[in-house]
């Protein structure tokens, strides 16, 4: 049984419990308003504890900034209380637009609906706060892009310039909140 609940800022470092490993063989490139699939061989490792970029330390700092702005972090916990997934919501990326800032589920727990439950919960929170859209800058892997498309996200007609400057290789997508 997976329980989803809001996480306290004192729990942020628990993201080290997440096993984000993945072997990606199809990636996407955004060109001329379309996605182009290409064969890749990306071996995504566990996060190192320290360092720039994709370390636990860097993620903790980024999540802390979002929480300091009033955002929220949800965690998915297994029956033993282990963190097996989490999602972070920035409420006001732009007027009437929130951002799904982070979404990760441990390898052994994928394809069980956990990411869907986390995304749905964040979408409800964003909508309750007045957002009419949810923005995500997705890793350009087949699994991430496919997941977001299945959740109702579509390619962003206009990208958020700040996020695009940080993550130009990502696939920028928007989900309308009806």
């Amino acid at each position: 049984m997976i329980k989803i609940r809001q996480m306290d800022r004192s729990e942020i470092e628990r993201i080290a419990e997440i096993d984000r490993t993945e072997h990606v063989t199809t990636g996407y490139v955004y060109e001329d308003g379309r996605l182009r699939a290409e064969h890749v061989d990306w071996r995504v490792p566990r996060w190192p504890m320290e360092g720039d970029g994709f370390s636990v330390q860097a993620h903790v700092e980024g999540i802390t900034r979002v929480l300091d702005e009033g955002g929220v972090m949800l965690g998915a916990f297994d029956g033993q209380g282990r963190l097996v997934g989490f999602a972070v919501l920035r409420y006001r990326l732009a007027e009437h637009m929130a951002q799904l800032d982070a979404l990760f589920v441990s390898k052994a727990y994928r394809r069980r609906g956990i990411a869907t439950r986390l995304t749905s919960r964040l979408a409800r929170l964003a909508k309750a706060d007045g957002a009419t859209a949810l923005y995500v800058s997705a890793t350009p892997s087949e699994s991430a892009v496919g997941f977001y498309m299945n959740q109702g996200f579509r390619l962003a007609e206009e990208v958020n310039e700040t996020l695009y400057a940080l993550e130009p290789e990502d696939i920028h997508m928007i989900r309308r909140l009806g």
Side-chain angles (χ1 to χ4, degrees):
M1 178 73 156
I2 301 296
K3 180 180 178 184
I4 294 177
R5 66 168 173 81
Q6 186 168 337
M7 292 179 68
D8 185 79
R9 90 178 28 248
S10 66
E11 298 177 288
I12 298 173
E13 291 188 6
R14 291 191 66 184
I15 67 169
E17 297 172 35
I18 299 295
D19 174 7
R20 73 169 194 133
T21 60
E22 181 179 11
H23 180 209
V24 178
T25 58
T26 301
Y28 289 104
V29 176
Y30 181 78
E31 289 180 339
D32 301 321
R34 304 178 110 152
L35 291 180
R36 179 177 51 83
E38 59 183 19
H39 177 74
V40 298
D41 186 19
W42 300 335
R43 301 205 182 256
V44 181
R46 289 190 74 104
W47 289 315
M49 289 303 292
E50 297 179 345
D52 294 336
F54 290 102
S55 68
V56 170
Q57 173 190 4
H59 279 289
V60 166
E61 290 168 5
I63 293 167
T64 299
R65 281 192 298 275
V66 172
L67 296 182
D68 286 347
E69 295 170 4
V72 65
M73 180 177 186
L74 300 178
F77 297 86
D78 70 7
Q80 286 75 47
R82 228 180 349 247
L83 180 67
V84 298
F86 74 91
V88 179
L89 177 68
R90 173 177 283 124
Y91 278 107
R92 291 175 193 87
L93 177 64
E95 187 175 0
H96 303 294
M97 186 175 297
Q99 178 195 8
L100 195 166
D101 183 71
L103 175 64
F104 292 94
V105 175
S106 285
K107 183 177 183 174
Y109 289 84
R110 292 181 191 143
R111 303 207 177 276
R112 296 186 187 187
I114 295 169
T116 297
R117 289 175 59 198
L118 288 165
T119 302
S120 295
R121 184 82 71 73
L122 290 188
R124 285 195 305 273
L125 290 170
K127 186 176 178 182
D129 189 61
T132 58
L134 188 58
Y135 191 101
V136 70
S137 174
T139 301
S141 67
E142 182 178 39
S143 60
V145 172
F147 169 77
Y148 288 119
M149 290 280 198
N150 286 333
Q151 297 302 305
F153 285 83
R154 298 295 172 250
L155 295 175
E157 293 177 17
E158 291 184 37
V159 299
N160 178 284
E161 295 298 332
T162 302
L163 293 179
Y164 185 80
L166 291 172
E167 301 166 325
E169 305 298 318
D170 279 6
I171 306 303
H172 295 255
M173 307 172 82
I174 295 175
R175 174 181 166 182
R176 299 288 167 207
L177 301 175

